[in-house]
Amino acid sequence: MSGPVSGPETPAAPDTPAEAGTPAASGRRELTYAVLLSLAGAGLACWAATRTWSVEVTPRGSLPSARQGRTGADLLPWLSALALVGLAGGGAVLATRGRVRRLLGGLLALLGAAVAAGGGYGLVAAFDGEVSRQWPALCLLGGVLAALGGGLTAARGQRWPAMGARYERHAGAEAPAGADGRPATERGTREAWDALDRGEDPTVS
């Protein structure tokens, strides 16, 4: 009596989509991190620049002293402008690709460094009157975050996927061309009109 017949070897399972798409998934994660860093840093710096960094007190004799608050934007007018440009540039990272994206990342890194320098100046400068140091510190932190996001974009942005690339790929795959080079949907519509011209019902197979 012959022994049990072993069945055919089970073929190795193909790579799962998650494993096959690891580089693309990693690129999307890095893109997300870079955009979040740029937007969060520029947004934080822009908000901190609108806070009161110093209060100038002017004595008025027997009257109460006059107090005039000065924001970071008042003391450094270019600070909030750079933060706003960085905020817009962080969103523009999604709409760019390749070398343009890397150049944009370098620009964002420079803008973040300039904003951080403005926050650092606010920490050490001797302003008149009462001085608040927490807002310059937050501006410094925001500039550093924005610079990190820009630096990551400049270093690795050329490898990241562009916005809408997946949709364009799927759209192209859904309409394969036939032997005549025309999309299947176009050929089907033409055949339906030809059937109507012959007096036939195209819905009847």
Side-chain angles (χ1 to χ4, degrees), residues 117-166:
Y121 173 78
L123 284 175
V124 300
F127 300 124
D128 295 333
E130 302 172 1
V131 180
S132 178
R133 301 297 184 185
Q134 70 266 26
W135 305 120
L138 288 178
C139 190
L140 171 62
L141 175 61
V144 170
L145 293 177
L148 288 176
L152 180 59
T153 303
R156 303 181 61 84
Q158 195 167 359
R159 307 175 185 177
W160 299 341
M163 183 176 61
R166 180 186 298 181

Side-chain angles (χ1 to χ4, degrees), residues 53-89:
W53 288 21
S54 68
V55 178
E56 184 176 354
V57 180
T58 304
R60 297 191 301 176
S62 59
L63 297 176
S65 300
R67 300 171 61 88
Q68 181 180 4
R70 305 182 70 185
T71 66
D74 294 331
L75 298 169
L76 303 173
W78 50 267
L79 185 60
S80 58
L82 292 184
L84 287 174
V85 173
L87 195 62

Side-chain angles (χ1 to χ4, degrees), residues 3-4 7 14 29 34 42 44 47 64 74 77 96 105 117 122 137 144 165 181 197:
R29 284 195 300 270
L44 178 61
W47 177 70
D74 294 331
T96 56
V144 170
D197 290 341

